[in-house]
Amino acid sequence: MRNTKNQKLGLNIMICYGVGSLGEGIGYNVFFAFFIFFMTTVAGISPAIAGTVSTISVLWDAITDPMIGAWSDRTRNKHGRRRPFIRWGSLLFGLSIALLFINVDLPQNIKTAYYIIINLFYWVTMTSCVIPHAALGSELTNDFNDRTKLRSAATIFLNTGTLIATSTPLMIVAFLSGKLGSDAKGWAATGIIFGCLVALVYNICYVATNGLEPHNHNLDATGDEKPAGGWAEFWHDAVAALKNKDLGRLLGVTFFFNIVVTLGSGLLVYMMIYVYGYSEAKTSLFYLVTGIAVIIAVVPVGYLANRLGKKIVMIGGLLLWGIGFLVIGLLPQSDILMFGFYSIAYFGNAAYWTMIYAMSYDTAIVEEFKTGKRPDGLYTSLIGLFMKFGNALGTFISGIGLEIIGFDGTAAIQTKSVVSGIRYLFAFTPAIALAIAAVFAVKYTMTQKKYELYSNALENKAAGLPFDESLIND
């Protein structure tokens, strides 16, 4: 176990940690980019029901997020607080992805129930490794700028996973469908491939980070000092965390941003296939180009964050991505706009994923200063909670929106009114949500200067020296 106090991170540690985000990027995006599409075009589920199935399961996951985060905070496992979750959770996460893309031959009502159950399983297993992995990042360093670098490395891997999950499935499905004799078998085999890949990369991270996780201080507690558990303690900690105003602002950013993650990503494949008329190969090429663009964007995002501040980069990224949706949705069809401008606008996606956890790590110092606790898992899981609330609303809007405009999953060519409806859904709903997210980001106040004030006061408090007590009520 290493001591993280005031230590700078080496590139090897950043890579070891970042590899886990590759699994998150794959597992998260293969679901949001293709699951509703799979249900409506292969499994024969109506858009409204498909959206509702996803909404129910995401709301369930929102409930379990803070519970798993708090559980990892309190665990007394000798191998650490986070890594055991990453190891075992990822195996179940991979299994759930494989089960998602199976077209079960059952009556419609039973088939719908199957997808609800598998969705519940998918989300809770994803949380069981994603939340502890994100919380681990806070424990690897206390340095304000190194946290940005660490999350930049993780975001590069995250976006690499996104690239893999969005640019390759349609081509893999097309190839395997030809070999196996049906689209349903092609999707099932593709789900198995991605499930195995997710489990593999998370376990690479688990092995590579051996010895990097700090000593589990819960093992040192005895008697009344033992980490408490149960619902009462969980709700007490959650309520205390929500009193942190800057955390609350980040939760607002997260909620509205993740409406766009599910809504925008879900509608994008409909936009390319039914509005732009792209083939599977060209659709995959688009995902490849934008995936590479967002990986490249992580480098200037990290640089600008250290120069201008995390807040400024977050606001700029949110507004830029919102403009991208409006431009692609409303202007005349153009490959230059779709491949070129949207790739630039995708900078906003990189800005959010690089900044959000780094900023939440920073806000947790307020709770540590007041109580002496380090609720990294709880804070990370609350980000996950509001992420899933946004995901749930985004999938609901996507499914209901497609139903309202009259989308027909059995039709190869949609009517002009449906095509227009897809364009307007794609343009306006994400742009509005991102504008609201930017308002929350504007109100965020935890600058580097303020963080250093808390950090210095925390050190003095721990050493029994005078400290600025006004920070307690700040």
Side-chain angles (χ1 to χ4, degrees):
M1 301 293 179
R2 61 190 294 273
N3 181 4
T4 64
K5 189 66 175 179
N6 298 323
Q7 285 194 11
K8 293 289 186 178
L9 293 180
L11 180 61
N12 62 323
I13 295 179
M14 293 184 183
I15 292 175
C16 289
Y17 172 75
V19 168
S21 293
L22 186 66
E24 180 183 356
I26 294 171
Y28 191 76
N29 287 281
V30 75
F31 176 88
F32 284 123
F34 298 109
F35 183 63
I36 289 182
F37 181 76
F38 164 78
M39 283 202 292
T40 57
T41 61
V42 178
I45 305 292
S46 72
I49 294 177
T52 303
V53 166
S54 296
T55 301
I56 292 171
S57 57
V58 174
L59 287 174
W60 155 252
D61 181 59
I63 296 171
T64 62
D65 268 12
M67 296 173 63
I68 289 176
W71 182 14
S72 72
D73 279 342
R74 301 188 184 103
T75 185
R76 294 172 58 80
N77 194 301
K78 65 180 180 180
H79 298 294
R81 297 197 295 172
R82 318 299 180 186
R83 290 176 62 254
F85 284 89
I86 295 171
R87 182 183 188 183
W88 299 110
S90 64
L91 296 176
L92 296 174
F93 186 23
L95 174 62
S96 71
I97 294 171
L99 296 174
L100 278 175
F101 294 98
I102 294 175
N103 180 24
V104 291
D105 186 16
L106 295 170
Q108 192 76 355
N109 290 340
I110 299 178
K111 179 183 285 191
T112 301
Y114 167 84
Y115 287 121
I116 291 175
I117 293 170
I118 296 304
N119 264 256
L120 298 178
F121 181 55
Y122 164 85
W123 282 105
V124 75
T125 56
M126 183 178 78
T127 297
S128 66
C129 54
V130 169
I131 294 297
H133 177 263
L136 176 61
S138 177
E139 297 183 335
L140 295 179
T141 179
N142 291 322
D143 186 82
F144 186 86
N145 290 322
D146 264 15
R147 285 175 165 177
T148 301
K149 295 176 183 177
L150 183 70
R151 287 310 308 175
S152 295
T155 304
I156 289 174
F157 281 101
L158 175 72
N159 289 327
T160 301
T162 300
L163 185 154
I164 294 170
T166 55
S167 66
T168 63
L170 291 179
M171 290 190 294
I172 294 173
V173 168
F175 173 78
L176 292 177
S177 295
K179 294 292 184 180
L180 300 176
S182 71
D183 287 345
K185 290 180 180 179
W187 276 103
T190 302
I192 292 172
I193 291 171
F194 280 100
C196 291
L197 185 57
V198 165
L200 174 63
V201 296
Y202 263 118
N203 276 276
I204 290 174
C205 173
Y206 170 81
V207 173
T209 54
N210 184 34
L212 300 182
E213 184 173 2
H215 172 67
N216 186 352
H217 60 78
N218 292 333
L219 294 173
D220 302 329
T222 58
D224 293 337
E225 296 178 352
K226 287 184 179 180
W231 280 98
E233 182 71 14
F234 162 72
W235 286 115
H236 175 271
D237 291 348
V239 169
L242 291 172
K243 291 180 180 178
N244 186 328
K245 293 180 180 179
D246 275 328
L247 177 64
R249 290 156 185 152
L250 292 180
L251 296 179
V253 172
T254 293
F255 174 72
F256 286 99
F257 178 88
N258 280 279
I259 290 175
V260 179
V261 168
T262 49
L263 179 64
S265 298
L267 290 176
L268 183 58
V269 66
Y270 291 91
M271 188 80 176
M272 288 187 287
I273 291 176
Y274 296 107
V275 177
Y276 273 61
Y278 285 177
S279 64
E280 288 88 349
K282 195 169 183 178
T283 299
S284 297
L285 176 62
F286 169 82
Y287 280 126
L288 178 65
V289 170
T290 54
I292 293 173
V294 79
I295 292 171
I296 294 172
V298 174
V299 176
V301 163
Y303 174 80
L304 291 173
N306 287 331
R307 284 279 186 171
L308 305 176
K310 301 173 188 178
K311 171 181 174 177
I312 297 299
V313 172
M314 175 71 87
I315 295 169
L318 294 171
L319 294 178
L320 181 61
W321 201 21
I323 292 171
F325 281 103
L326 290 171
V327 168
I328 300 302
L330 299 179
L331 293 186
Q333 181 175 326
S334 166
D335 284 350
I336 294 176
L337 289 179
M338 180 63 86
F339 279 81
F341 185 78
Y342 193 76
S343 295
I344 296 172
Y346 221 44
F347 175 96
N349 187 287
Y352 171 84
W353 290 113
T354 305
M355 296 297 106
I356 190 62
Y357 287 121
M359 293 168 80
S360 72
Y361 298 162
D362 297 339
T363 63
I365 198 172
V366 176
E367 186 71 19
E368 185 179 3
F369 177 68
K370 289 182 177 181
T371 67
K373 298 180 180 179
R374 288 195 56 167
D376 303 303
L378 178 62
Y379 272 47
T380 302
S381 64
L382 287 172
I383 293 290
L385 172 71
F386 279 75
M387 185 185 297
K388 304 308 166 40
F389 283 151
N391 292 155
L393 184 55
T395 54
F396 181 76
I397 294 172
S398 180
I400 295 298
L402 289 169
E403 188 80 17
I404 290 173
I405 65 175
F407 175 80
D408 181 1
T410 63
I413 300 176
Q414 303 295 320
T415 65
K416 289 184 178 180
S417 63
V418 170
V419 170
S420 296
I422 292 173
R423 292 183 73 110
Y424 293 142
L425 278 174
F426 182 81
F428 289 112
T429 44
I432 292 170
L434 288 168
I436 298 172
V439 172
F440 279 97
V442 167
K443 296 180 178 294
Y444 181 80
T445 66
M446 184 58 76
T447 61
Q448 182 172 358
K449 181 179 180 180
K450 185 175 180 179
Y451 178 85
E452 290 173 351
L453 286 175
Y454 271 101
S455 183
N456 292 334
L458 183 62
E459 289 183 8
N460 289 341
K461 183 180 179 181
L465 300 174
F467 62 91
D468 186 356
E469 296 187 11
S470 67
L471 291 174
I472 294 177
N473 298 317
D474 184 14

